[in-house]
Amino acid sequence: MTRTAQDLRTRVTARGLRGPVGTRGPRGSVAARGPRGSVAARGLRTRAARRPYARLAGALLSALALTLAATGCAGSAGSTAAGKRTETSAAPSANRVEPLSATPDPRLPVTVRSFDGERVTVRAADRIVPLSGSLSEIAFTLGLGDRVVARDITATFAQAGKLPVVTRGHDVSAESVLSLKPDLVLAETTTGPDEAMEQIRDAGVPVLVVAPAKGLDDVGPRIEAVADALGVPAAGKRLIERSQRRIAAVRKAIPAHADHPRVAFLYLRGSASVYLIGGKDSGATSLLEAAGAIDAGAESGLKKDFSTITTEALAQAAPDAILVMTKGLESVGGIDGLVRIPGVAQTPAGMERRVVSIEDGVLLNYGPRTDQVLKSLVEQLYGDAR
């Protein structure tokens, strides 16, 4: 396994679907890209853009305040005989992004169209404030990390670690942002509160709103939107090509003869008593399908983004494996705590303790590290099966 794949793996316990199944919190998160919030007064957030995440937003805001500080990985899987895996530990991962080899030189000014319909003119890009972990990741990977002066709490990769936090679960502090004298603020469709975003705009700061990340098809457009606004469109094209090439390579390596495991995406925040199962609009479907799996929640008829976990819903989904975020898994006491959630132990996944865990800060970002997320998911689902 490559180090980048190992970096995304944490504590693992399982017996294989067709080989071993492993067990990890962004956007942001769900926490890293996750559940979304309210509608902006000036059209910052359209109803269509926020619909997949609105149901989870209230629970997320309180959960983030209690459970998210910094995200890291803390383990990997060790193989044993008969295709089984036992829970082991390893040194913490570096959790780093990989910038393009050549640092681009922004060509400004530029005028671009924001996802909220506004035309935004960017005259300088020396002080960039991305208000989500995913947007921070794109800026750093484009090679402009030295220009980023603040971060959202969901920017958990190492290079962003020393930056001041100005957003916590979409709770922006306008005063903190403005005190940094930004040239450009990068926002998601759900960045808020509305009053804070209005205050930033009223101060004359350009605000680019980027379309939400919902699936693999959004990787390219999100990178392109950020790169164009920063005046580095050529670097954006190179990063898009690299990202797409790496994703394609992972998909090509998926075991051709493997069954299509049913995987349920569970969003967990034990300290806030948040226990949800993902449905059609959770954001996980595209990733699971790319890994050759079936989104058990969506396939069972759950049309919402997230629904409260019930014994009946889990029985209907009947997952062979469960996908979770690392911090979520930790918040319920690991796999032992997970199987104590009503209904989990009765599923095929619960009975076999088949849990795939991916870092919160990157799982649903759909950005430059999505190939690593997909690779980790594939390796945990199929192990050494070929």
Side-chain angles (χ1 to χ4, degrees):
M1 184 192 308
T2 64
R3 176 165 296 278
T4 53
Q6 286 176 323
D7 285 349
L8 294 173
R9 303 189 62 165
T10 57
R11 304 169 68 81
V12 181
T13 300
R15 183 162 55 190
L17 296 173
R18 286 185 58 94
V21 180
T23 74
R24 176 198 146 12
R27 276 172 207 169
S29 248
V30 71
R33 148 266 169 226
R36 310 293 184 162
S38 61
V39 179
R42 288 183 51 190
L44 172 62
R45 283 162 269 181
T46 64
R47 184 175 301 275
R50 71 182 177 89
R51 185 178 297 122
Y53 315 105
R55 183 177 179 84
L56 190 51
L60 175 65
L61 292 178
S62 59
L64 279 169
L66 292 170
T67 62
L68 279 178
T71 303
C73 302
S76 67
S79 299
T80 62
K84 297 183 180 180
R85 294 198 172 196
T86 56
E87 194 168 15
T88 63
S89 62
S93 73
N95 187 21
R96 302 179 65 86
V97 299
E98 181 188 349
L100 293 172
S101 56
T103 301
D105 182 20
R107 300 294 181 90
L108 299 170
V110 297
T111 298
V112 294
R113 184 169 294 279
S114 180
F115 185 71
D116 59 356
E118 300 288 335
R119 292 186 67 81
V120 178
T121 297
V122 182
R123 294 180 171 83
D126 297 320
R127 301 183 64 79
I128 307 165
V129 177
L131 296 180
S132 78
S134 177
L135 297 177
S136 292
E137 181 178 316
I138 294 173
F140 270 84
T141 311
L142 284 169
L144 300 177
D146 60 341
R147 299 167 181 256
V148 176
V149 296
R151 69 181 177 97
D152 175 71
I153 198 169
T154 61
T156 59
F157 53 93
Q159 293 100 318
K162 294 183 179 180
L163 294 173
V165 174
V166 294
T167 324
R168 295 178 181 273
H170 309 295
D171 184 14
V172 176
S173 168
E175 293 78 10
S176 296
V177 171
L178 293 174
S179 71
L180 296 167
K181 304 184 184 309
D183 298 318
L184 173 65
V185 168
L186 302 174
E188 299 278 353
T189 53
T190 56
T191 303
D194 301 340
E195 295 78 8
M197 300 309 298
E198 292 298 317
Q199 188 176 344
I200 294 170
R201 283 195 179 90
D202 289 344
V205 178
V207 176
L208 178 78
V209 180
V210 180
K214 298 180 181 179
L216 287 173
D217 290 342
D218 296 318
V219 172
R222 284 171 63 83
I223 293 173
E224 181 179 29
V226 174
D228 287 353
L230 293 175
V232 291
K237 288 181 173 61
R238 291 198 303 274
L239 182 55
I240 291 169
E241 192 279 330
R242 188 185 84 175
S243 300
Q244 292 176 339
R245 183 180 69 250
R246 290 179 175 182
I247 289 171
V250 176
R251 299 184 72 170
K252 185 177 181 180
I254 294 173
H257 64 278
D259 295 334
H260 297 288
R262 297 173 59 85
V263 183
F265 174 40
L266 303 187
Y267 180 77
L268 312 170
R269 283 297 180 262
S271 58
S273 298
V274 177
Y275 309 105
L276 305 173
I277 179 171
K280 180 180 178 182
D281 292 324
S282 72
T285 301
S286 176
L287 187 67
L288 291 171
E289 290 178 347
I294 296 169
D295 185 335
E299 197 274 340
S300 70
L302 297 177
K303 300 187 182 303
K304 299 179 182 179
D305 47 3
F306 290 91
S307 303
T308 300
I309 291 176
T310 64
T311 301
E312 293 76 15
L314 286 170
Q316 184 70 24
D320 300 308
I322 291 172
L323 172 64
V324 292
M325 295 181 174
T326 298
K327 290 295 183 184
L329 185 61
E330 292 174 358
S331 77
V332 298
I335 295 178
D336 289 339
L338 175 62
V339 297
R340 286 196 292 269
I341 295 174
V344 172
Q346 287 71 48
T347 65
M351 287 186 283
E352 298 296 334
R353 299 168 68 88
R354 296 166 177 166
V355 179
V356 176
S357 177
I358 306 288
E359 178 201 341
D360 299 47
V362 71
L363 174 58
L364 298 179
N365 274 5
Y366 293 113
R369 289 194 290 170
T370 294
D371 65 293
Q372 297 175 30
V373 174
L374 183 59
K375 184 175 180 64
S376 179
L377 174 59
V378 168
E379 290 180 340
Q380 292 184 65
L381 280 177
Y382 305 112
D384 297 327
R386 290 291 184 271

mmCIF file of all heavy atoms in Angstrom, residues 100-136:
data_model
loop_
_atom_site.group_PDB
_atom_site.id
_atom_site.type_symbol
_atom_site.label_atom_id
_atom_site.label_comp_id
_atom_site.label_asym_id
_atom_site.label_seq_id
_atom_site.Cartn_x
_atom_site.Cartn_y
_atom_site.Cartn_z
ATOM 1 N N LEU A 100 1.234 21.166 -6.874
ATOM 2 C CA LEU A 100 1.822 21.005 -8.198
ATOM 3 C C LEU A 100 3.312 21.316 -8.133
ATOM 4 O O LEU A 100 3.757 22.119 -7.305
ATOM 5 C CB LEU A 100 1.139 21.944 -9.191
ATOM 6 C CG LEU A 100 -0.332 21.640 -9.515
ATOM 7 C CD1 LEU A 100 -0.912 22.776 -10.347
ATOM 8 C CD2 LEU A 100 -0.460 20.315 -10.252
ATOM 9 N N SER A 101 4.073 20.708 -9.001
ATOM 10 C CA SER A 101 5.532 20.860 -8.946
ATOM 11 C C SER A 101 5.989 22.280 -9.243
ATOM 12 O O SER A 101 6.975 22.759 -8.687
ATOM 13 C CB SER A 101 6.184 19.888 -9.932
ATOM 14 O OG SER A 101 5.685 20.089 -11.244
ATOM 15 N N ALA A 102 5.272 22.971 -10.113
ATOM 16 C CA ALA A 102 5.652 24.347 -10.472
ATOM 17 C C ALA A 102 4.691 25.330 -9.819
ATOM 18 O O ALA A 102 3.479 25.220 -9.962
ATOM 19 C CB ALA A 102 5.633 24.516 -11.987
ATOM 20 N N THR A 103 5.241 26.305 -9.099
ATOM 21 C CA THR A 103 4.407 27.318 -8.454
ATOM 22 C C THR A 103 3.916 28.312 -9.498
ATOM 23 O O THR A 103 4.713 28.949 -10.196
ATOM 24 C CB THR A 103 5.205 28.072 -7.378
ATOM 25 O OG1 THR A 103 5.673 27.144 -6.407
ATOM 26 C CG2 THR A 103 4.335 29.120 -6.702
ATOM 27 N N PRO A 104 2.596 28.472 -9.620
ATOM 28 C CA PRO A 104 2.070 29.373 -10.652
ATOM 29 C C PRO A 104 2.164 30.837 -10.237
ATOM 30 O O PRO A 104 2.246 31.163 -9.053
ATOM 31 C CB PRO A 104 0.608 28.932 -10.777
ATOM 32 C CG PRO A 104 0.264 28.438 -9.405
ATOM 33 C CD PRO A 104 1.532 27.783 -8.874
ATOM 34 N N ASP A 105 2.142 31.710 -11.228
ATOM 35 C CA ASP A 105 2.186 33.150 -10.991
ATOM 36 C C ASP A 105 0.835 33.733 -11.397
ATOM 37 O O ASP A 105 0.501 33.774 -12.586
ATOM 38 C CB ASP A 105 3.297 33.783 -11.819
ATOM 39 C CG ASP A 105 3.420 35.280 -11.557
ATOM 40 O OD1 ASP A 105 2.945 35.741 -10.505
ATOM 41 O OD2 ASP A 105 3.996 35.976 -12.410
ATOM 42 N N PRO A 106 0.013 34.151 -10.428
ATOM 43 C CA PRO A 106 -1.325 34.664 -10.758
ATOM 44 C C PRO A 106 -1.285 35.826 -11.733
ATOM 45 O O PRO A 106 -0.479 36.751 -11.583
ATOM 46 C CB PRO A 106 -1.869 35.101 -9.392
ATOM 47 C CG PRO A 106 -1.136 34.261 -8.399
ATOM 48 C CD PRO A 106 0.248 34.123 -8.965
ATOM 49 N N ARG A 107 -2.160 35.757 -12.735
ATOM 50 C CA ARG A 107 -2.308 36.841 -13.705
ATOM 51 C C ARG A 107 -3.629 37.553 -13.400
ATOM 52 O O ARG A 107 -4.710 37.032 -13.705
ATOM 53 C CB ARG A 107 -2.308 36.283 -15.125
ATOM 54 C CG ARG A 107 -1.029 35.541 -15.496
ATOM 55 C CD ARG A 107 0.171 36.478 -15.531
ATOM 56 N NE ARG A 107 1.398 35.793 -15.899
ATOM 57 C CZ ARG A 107 1.819 35.662 -17.142
ATOM 58 N NH1 ARG A 107 1.082 36.115 -18.142
ATOM 59 N NH2 ARG A 107 2.966 35.048 -17.401
ATOM 60 N N LEU A 108 -3.531 38.703 -12.789
ATOM 61 C CA LEU A 108 -4.692 39.450 -12.323
ATOM 62 C C LEU A 108 -4.628 40.878 -12.851
ATOM 63 O O LEU A 108 -3.541 41.355 -13.207
ATOM 64 C CB LEU A 108 -4.725 39.446 -10.785
ATOM 65 C CG LEU A 108 -4.825 38.055 -10.134
ATOM 66 C CD1 LEU A 108 -4.607 38.155 -8.635
ATOM 67 C CD2 LEU A 108 -6.173 37.419 -10.435
ATOM 68 N N PRO A 109 -5.760 41.575 -12.935
ATOM 69 C CA PRO A 109 -7.076 41.200 -12.407
ATOM 70 C C PRO A 109 -7.831 40.262 -13.347
ATOM 71 O O PRO A 109 -7.538 40.187 -14.546
ATOM 72 C CB PRO A 109 -7.788 42.538 -12.301
ATOM 73 C CG PRO A 109 -7.184 43.357 -13.413
ATOM 74 C CD PRO A 109 -5.736 42.949 -13.456
ATOM 75 N N VAL A 110 -8.808 39.574 -12.757
ATOM 76 C CA VAL A 110 -9.729 38.740 -13.517
ATOM 77 C C VAL A 110 -11.140 38.983 -12.984
ATOM 78 O O VAL A 110 -11.314 39.344 -11.810
ATOM 79 C CB VAL A 110 -9.385 37.241 -13.409
ATOM 80 C CG1 VAL A 110 -8.027 36.942 -14.006
ATOM 81 C CG2 VAL A 110 -9.459 36.763 -11.964
ATOM 82 N N THR A 111 -12.106 38.759 -13.833
ATOM 83 C CA THR A 111 -13.511 38.812 -13.417
ATOM 84 C C THR A 111 -14.137 37.461 -13.718
ATOM 85 O O THR A 111 -14.061 36.973 -14.859
ATOM 86 C CB THR A 111 -14.271 39.923 -14.152
ATOM 87 O OG1 THR A 111 -13.683 41.195 -13.822
ATOM 88 C CG2 THR A 111 -15.737 39.945 -13.727
ATOM 89 N N VAL A 112 -14.709 36.851 -12.709
ATOM 90 C CA VAL A 112 -15.302 35.522 -12.842
ATOM 91 C C VAL A 112 -16.727 35.556 -12.308
ATOM 92 O O VAL A 112 -17.106 36.450 -11.544
ATOM 93 C CB VAL A 112 -14.475 34.463 -12.078
ATOM 94 C CG1 VAL A 112 -13.106 34.297 -12.706
ATOM 95 C CG2 VAL A 112 -14.357 34.824 -10.599
ATOM 96 N N ARG A 113 -17.501 34.565 -12.711
ATOM 97 C CA ARG A 113 -18.874 34.470 -12.219
ATOM 98 C C ARG A 113 -18.921 33.522 -11.039
ATOM 99 O O ARG A 113 -18.485 32.387 -11.115
ATOM 100 C CB ARG A 113 -19.831 34.001 -13.316
ATOM 101 C CG ARG A 113 -21.300 33.994 -12.863
ATOM 102 C CD ARG A 113 -22.243 33.791 -14.032
ATOM 103 N NE ARG A 113 -22.222 34.901 -14.961
ATOM 104 C CZ ARG A 113 -22.891 36.040 -14.786
ATOM 105 N NH1 ARG A 113 -23.611 36.224 -13.689
ATOM 106 N NH2 ARG A 113 -22.829 36.983 -15.700
ATOM 107 N N SER A 114 -19.477 34.005 -9.941
ATOM 108 C CA SER A 114 -19.644 33.219 -8.733
ATOM 109 C C SER A 114 -20.875 32.331 -8.861
ATOM 110 O O SER A 114 -21.789 32.623 -9.637
ATOM 111 C CB SER A 114 -19.786 34.174 -7.540
ATOM 112 O OG SER A 114 -19.956 33.485 -6.331
ATOM 113 N N PHE A 115 -20.903 31.228 -8.121
ATOM 114 C CA PHE A 115 -22.026 30.290 -8.218
ATOM 115 C C PHE A 115 -23.343 30.931 -7.791
ATOM 116 O O PHE A 115 -24.409 30.472 -8.190
ATOM 117 C CB PHE A 115 -21.738 29.049 -7.359
ATOM 118 C CG PHE A 115 -22.779 27.974 -7.498
ATOM 119 C CD1 PHE A 115 -22.884 27.238 -8.671
ATOM 120 C CD2 PHE A 115 -23.671 27.688 -6.468
ATOM 121 C CE1 PHE A 115 -23.835 26.246 -8.811
ATOM 122 C CE2 PHE A 115 -24.619 26.700 -6.590
ATOM 123 C CZ PHE A 115 -24.707 25.975 -7.770
ATOM 124 N N ASP A 116 -23.286 31.997 -6.999
ATOM 125 C CA ASP A 116 -24.513 32.670 -6.568
ATOM 126 C C ASP A 116 -25.010 33.660 -7.608
ATOM 127 O O ASP A 116 -25.988 34.377 -7.387
ATOM 128 C CB ASP A 116 -24.303 33.386 -5.233
ATOM 129 C CG ASP A 116 -23.186 34.424 -5.286
ATOM 130 O OD1 ASP A 116 -22.524 34.532 -6.335
ATOM 131 O OD2 ASP A 116 -22.977 35.113 -4.279
ATOM 132 N N GLY A 117 -24.344 33.699 -8.779
ATOM 133 C CA GLY A 117 -24.783 34.561 -9.863
ATOM 134 C C GLY A 117 -24.071 35.891 -9.930
ATOM 135 O O GLY A 117 -24.214 36.627 -10.927
ATOM 136 N N GLU A 118 -23.309 36.243 -8.913
ATOM 137 C CA GLU A 118 -22.592 37.520 -8.896
ATOM 138 C C GLU A 118 -21.336 37.457 -9.770
ATOM 139 O O GLU A 118 -20.714 36.404 -9.909
ATOM 140 C CB GLU A 118 -22.186 37.874 -7.465
ATOM 141 C CG GLU A 118 -23.347 38.021 -6.491
ATOM 142 C CD GLU A 118 -24.161 39.272 -6.729
ATOM 143 O OE1 GLU A 118 -23.595 40.243 -7.286
ATOM 144 O OE2 GLU A 118 -25.355 39.283 -6.377
ATOM 145 N N ARG A 119 -20.979 38.587 -10.342
ATOM 146 C CA ARG A 119 -19.705 38.697 -11.048
ATOM 147 C C ARG A 119 -18.690 39.264 -10.070
ATOM 148 O O ARG A 119 -18.925 40.306 -9.442
ATOM 149 C CB ARG A 119 -19.832 39.574 -12.288
ATOM 150 C CG ARG A 119 -20.703 38.940 -13.367
ATOM 151 C CD ARG A 119 -20.698 39.761 -14.636
ATOM 152 N NE ARG A 119 -19.399 39.768 -15.280
ATOM 153 C CZ ARG A 119 -18.933 38.804 -16.063
ATOM 154 N NH1 ARG A 119 -19.661 37.715 -16.264
ATOM 155 N NH2 ARG A 119 -17.748 38.896 -16.620
ATOM 156 N N VAL A 120 -17.569 38.573 -9.918
ATOM 157 C CA VAL A 120 -16.572 38.928 -8.914
ATOM 158 C C VAL A 120 -15.272 39.309 -9.608
ATOM 159 O O VAL A 120 -14.741 38.535 -10.417
ATOM 160 C CB VAL A 120 -16.328 37.743 -7.946
ATOM 161 C CG1 VAL A 120 -15.248 38.101 -6.931
ATOM 162 C CG2 VAL A 120 -17.622 37.349 -7.246
ATOM 163 N N THR A 121 -14.763 40.489 -9.301
ATOM 164 C CA THR A 121 -13.484 40.937 -9.856
ATOM 165 C C THR A 121 -12.401 40.788 -8.792
ATOM 166 O O THR A 121 -12.526 41.321 -7.687
ATOM 167 C CB THR A 121 -13.555 42.400 -10.314
ATOM 168 O OG1 THR A 121 -14.523 42.514 -11.365
ATOM 169 C CG2 THR A 121 -12.201 42.868 -10.840
ATOM 170 N N VAL A 122 -11.370 40.039 -9.131
ATOM 171 C CA VAL A 122 -10.254 39.787 -8.214
ATOM 172 C C VAL A 122 -9.042 40.554 -8.743
ATOM 173 O O VAL A 122 -8.563 40.299 -9.851
ATOM 174 C CB VAL A 122 -9.930 38.285 -8.119
ATOM 175 C CG1 VAL A 122 -8.801 38.039 -7.116
ATOM 176 C CG2 VAL A 122 -11.177 37.497 -7.726
ATOM 177 N N ARG A 123 -8.554 41.497 -7.941
ATOM 178 C CA ARG A 123 -7.432 42.332 -8.372
ATOM 179 C C ARG A 123 -6.101 41.923 -7.763
ATOM 180 O O ARG A 123 -5.038 42.329 -8.236
ATOM 181 C CB ARG A 123 -7.729 43.795 -8.046
ATOM 182 C CG ARG A 123 -8.896 44.356 -8.843
ATOM 183 C CD ARG A 123 -9.187 45.810 -8.514
ATOM 184 N NE ARG A 123 -10.167 46.355 -9.457
ATOM 185 C CZ ARG A 123 -11.475 46.190 -9.318
ATOM 186 N NH1 ARG A 123 -11.953 45.494 -8.289
ATOM 187 N NH2 ARG A 123 -12.302 46.705 -10.214
ATOM 188 N N ALA A 124 -6.159 41.137 -6.690
ATOM 189 C CA ALA A 124 -4.932 40.660 -6.042
ATOM 190 C C ALA A 124 -5.235 39.325 -5.379
ATOM 191 O O ALA A 124 -6.382 39.027 -5.049
ATOM 192 C CB ALA A 124 -4.441 41.670 -5.009
ATOM 193 N N ALA A 125 -4.205 38.507 -5.216
ATOM 194 C CA ALA A 125 -4.373 37.206 -4.570
ATOM 195 C C ALA A 125 -3.201 36.930 -3.640
ATOM 196 O O ALA A 125 -2.672 35.823 -3.587
ATOM 197 C CB ALA A 125 -4.489 36.099 -5.617
ATOM 198 N N ASP A 126 -2.794 37.965 -2.907
ATOM 199 C CA ASP A 126 -1.692 37.804 -1.959
ATOM 200 C C ASP A 126 -2.169 37.331 -0.593
ATOM 201 O O ASP A 126 -1.391 36.776 0.173
ATOM 202 C CB ASP A 126 -0.949 39.135 -1.795
ATOM 203 C CG ASP A 126 -0.306 39.594 -3.088
ATOM 204 O OD1 ASP A 126 0.242 38.729 -3.795
ATOM 205 O OD2 ASP A 126 -0.374 40.798 -3.393
ATOM 206 N N ARG A 127 -3.465 37.548 -0.289
ATOM 207 C CA ARG A 127 -4.024 37.167 1.007
ATOM 208 C C ARG A 127 -5.379 36.502 0.760
ATOM 209 O O ARG A 127 -6.393 37.173 0.565
ATOM 210 C CB ARG A 127 -4.150 38.381 1.934
ATOM 211 C CG ARG A 127 -2.806 39.072 2.184
ATOM 212 C CD ARG A 127 -2.945 40.233 3.162
ATOM 213 N NE ARG A 127 -3.359 39.774 4.497
ATOM 214 C CZ ARG A 127 -2.543 39.229 5.390
ATOM 215 N NH1 ARG A 127 -1.248 39.044 5.088
ATOM 216 N NH2 ARG A 127 -2.985 38.873 6.573
ATOM 217 N N ILE A 128 -5.356 35.168 0.740
ATOM 218 C CA ILE A 128 -6.535 34.366 0.396
ATOM 219 C C ILE A 128 -7.113 33.763 1.671
ATOM 220 O O ILE A 128 -6.384 33.217 2.504
ATOM 221 C CB ILE A 128 -6.164 33.241 -0.582
ATOM 222 C CG1 ILE A 128 -5.437 33.807 -1.799
ATOM 223 C CG2 ILE A 128 -7.390 32.458 -1.002
ATOM 224 C CD1 ILE A 128 -4.732 32.733 -2.626
ATOM 225 N N VAL A 129 -8.435 33.828 1.816
ATOM 226 C CA VAL A 129 -9.113 33.216 2.966
ATOM 227 C C VAL A 129 -10.159 32.228 2.453
ATOM 228 O O VAL A 129 -11.255 32.622 2.071
ATOM 229 C CB VAL A 129 -9.779 34.270 3.868
ATOM 230 C CG1 VAL A 129 -10.541 33.584 5.007
ATOM 231 C CG2 VAL A 129 -8.736 35.223 4.439
ATOM 232 N N PRO A 130 -9.847 30.931 2.419
ATOM 233 C CA PRO A 130 -10.839 29.920 2.053
ATOM 234 C C PRO A 130 -11.664 29.562 3.295
ATOM 235 O O PRO A 130 -11.120 29.278 4.358
ATOM 236 C CB PRO A 130 -9.989 28.726 1.601
ATOM 237 C CG PRO A 130 -8.564 29.221 1.584
ATOM 238 C CD PRO A 130 -8.509 30.343 2.564
ATOM 239 N N LEU A 131 -12.980 29.545 3.154
ATOM 240 C CA LEU A 131 -13.852 29.301 4.300
ATOM 241 C C LEU A 131 -14.367 27.877 4.356
ATOM 242 O O LEU A 131 -15.421 27.604 4.929
ATOM 243 C CB LEU A 131 -15.018 30.305 4.279
ATOM 244 C CG LEU A 131 -14.590 31.777 4.436
ATOM 245 C CD1 LEU A 131 -15.805 32.692 4.405
ATOM 246 C CD2 LEU A 131 -13.795 31.980 5.719
ATOM 247 N N SER A 132 -13.612 26.949 3.778
ATOM 248 C CA SER A 132 -13.886 25.519 3.959
ATOM 249 C C SER A 132 -12.585 24.759 3.777
ATOM 250 O O SER A 132 -11.660 25.239 3.105
ATOM 251 C CB SER A 132 -14.937 25.007 2.965
ATOM 252 O OG SER A 132 -14.372 24.810 1.685
ATOM 253 N N GLY A 133 -12.517 23.592 4.354
ATOM 254 C CA GLY A 133 -11.323 22.768 4.216
ATOM 255 C C GLY A 133 -11.069 22.373 2.783
ATOM 256 O O GLY A 133 -9.916 22.327 2.328
ATOM 257 N N SER A 134 -12.125 22.083 2.045
ATOM 258 C CA SER A 134 -11.980 21.664 0.656
ATOM 259 C C SER A 134 -11.379 22.767 -0.201
ATOM 260 O O SER A 134 -10.486 22.532 -1.021
ATOM 261 C CB SER A 134 -13.343 21.265 0.096
ATOM 262 O OG SER A 134 -13.250 20.928 -1.269
ATOM 263 N N LEU A 135 -11.839 24.001 -0.008
ATOM 264 C CA LEU A 135 -11.309 25.115 -0.794
ATOM 265 C C LEU A 135 -9.875 25.433 -0.402
ATOM 266 O O LEU A 135 -9.059 25.811 -1.246
ATOM 267 C CB LEU A 135 -12.213 26.333 -0.633
ATOM 268 C CG LEU A 135 -13.648 26.144 -1.146
ATOM 269 C CD1 LEU A 135 -14.480 27.385 -0.877
ATOM 270 C CD2 LEU A 135 -13.661 25.797 -2.627
ATOM 271 N N SER A 136 -9.550 25.273 0.881
ATOM 272 C CA SER A 136 -8.158 25.422 1.304
ATOM 273 C C SER A 136 -7.274 24.407 0.607
ATOM 274 O O SER A 136 -6.174 24.722 0.134
ATOM 275 C CB SER A 136 -8.037 25.241 2.822
ATOM 276 O OG SER A 136 -8.647 26.295 3.521
#
